[in-house]
């Protein structure tokens, strides 16, 4: 990541940068944590537990903001919550069926898909440099998913690709729903997570959808609880409040660039702590994904 050009920091800017980098690191580690605590039959149960734990904290912290939301803002936030539930379902089922390294790198394509989708909506052609960066990233994903030889991508790889597309839809809808643009971040996020938890709970209640949250919790070992709390407390509560704090002390573009190191952390954690191996072709693909996404971010900044 030494090639990433950041805006010149203000004095003592590292005091803000370090917590934001911490968010990128825990998000990168979240794929391995989710893979360790989740199985095919416990995806919905883990999602209910993960967000159900932090939701009361968010409601308590943002109760005044929730009361101030208009009916239109509630509807807009609810719509975003439905999309968010789809993102988490795709990501969590995806990481069960692929490596944490692949998951973190493939999801980074959101940084490429979003400007492309925005260009399609606004009918404004993106810069040629960005198109070249997008092509480089796509080539990187192809090589990344073929690290063990040229075969069909795994189901998990395809789910992560769909999750990246769903993240793109979420960003575009958030930017175009006028009602939510004036809403404060805390109540907006709370309604979105509340909607997502409701979706997960309803799906859990349907027959044949896997373990209930109570059964999953009863079967957890200490390591499973540690992984769940990591996902809930650090990857959700800590990450959200650090973003709100950092944006008020530095520029949104700087926060975005620092958070853009997430796929690098995902790859590092997957390889070093998860013992995952990419092979020469996979490593080349990972490098191209990182180079393409960083190049693409700079081309659109």
């Amino acid at each position: 990541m030494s090639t990433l050009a950041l805006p010149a920091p203000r004095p003592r800017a590292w005091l803000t940068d370090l917590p934001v980098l911490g968010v990128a690191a825990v998000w990168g580690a979240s794929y391995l944590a989710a893979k360790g605590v989740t199985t095919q039959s416990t995806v919905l149960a883990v999602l209910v537990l993960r967000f159900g734990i932090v939701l009361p904290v968010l409601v308590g912290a943002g109760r005044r903001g929730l009361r101030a939301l208009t009916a239109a803002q509630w509807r807009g936030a609810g719509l975003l919550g439905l999309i968010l539930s789809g993102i988490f379902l795709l990501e969590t089922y995806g990481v069960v069926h692929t490596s944490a390294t692949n998951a973190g790198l493939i999801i980074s394509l959101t940084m490429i898909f979003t400007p492309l989708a925005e260009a399609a909506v606004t009918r404004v052609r993106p810069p040629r440099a960005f198109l070249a960066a997008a092509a480089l990233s796509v080539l990187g994903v192809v090589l990344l998913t073929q690290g063990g030889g040229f075969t069909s991508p795994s189901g998990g790889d395809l789910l992560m690709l769909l999750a990246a597309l769903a993240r793109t839809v979420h960003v575009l809808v958030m930017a175009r729903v006028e009602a939510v643009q004036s809403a404060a971040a805390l109540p907006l996020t709370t309604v979105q997570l509340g909607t997502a938890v409701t979706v997960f709970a309803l799906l859990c209640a349907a027959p044949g959808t896997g373990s209930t949250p109570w059964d999953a919790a009863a079967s957890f070992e200490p390591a499973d609880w540690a992984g769940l709390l990591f996902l809930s407390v650090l990857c959700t509560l800590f990450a959200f409040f650090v973003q709100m704090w950092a944006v008020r002390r530095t520029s949104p573009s700087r926060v975005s660039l620092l958070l853009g190191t997430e796929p690098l952390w995902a790859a590092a954690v997957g390889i070093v702590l998860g013992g995952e191996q990419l092979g020469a072709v996979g490593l080349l693909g990972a490098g191209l994904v990182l180079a393409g996404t960083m190049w693409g971010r700079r081309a659109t900044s």
Side-chain angles (χ1 to χ4, degrees), residues 109-127:
L109 287 179
T110 303
M111 292 183 281
I112 296 296
F113 291 158
T114 301
L116 287 176
E118 190 172 17
V121 171
T122 60
R123 297 186 180 182
V124 175
R125 184 181 177 87

Side-chain angles (χ1 to χ4, degrees), residues 45-57 193 197 200 232:
V46 168
L47 287 172
V48 171
L49 292 170
R50 173 182 175 178
F51 297 109
I53 290 173
V54 301
L55 192 58
V57 179
L193 288 182
V197 170
F200 303 145
S232 298

Side-chain angles (χ1 to χ4, degrees), residues 44-80:
L44 292 171
V46 168
L47 287 172
V48 171
L49 292 170
R50 173 182 175 178
F51 297 109
I53 290 173
V54 301
L55 192 58
V57 179
L58 292 174
V59 171
R63 57 187 181 279
R64 291 183 179 178
L66 288 170
R67 289 195 294 265
L69 291 178
T70 65
Q73 288 172 332
W74 275 94
R75 289 193 298 269
L79 172 61
L80 291 171

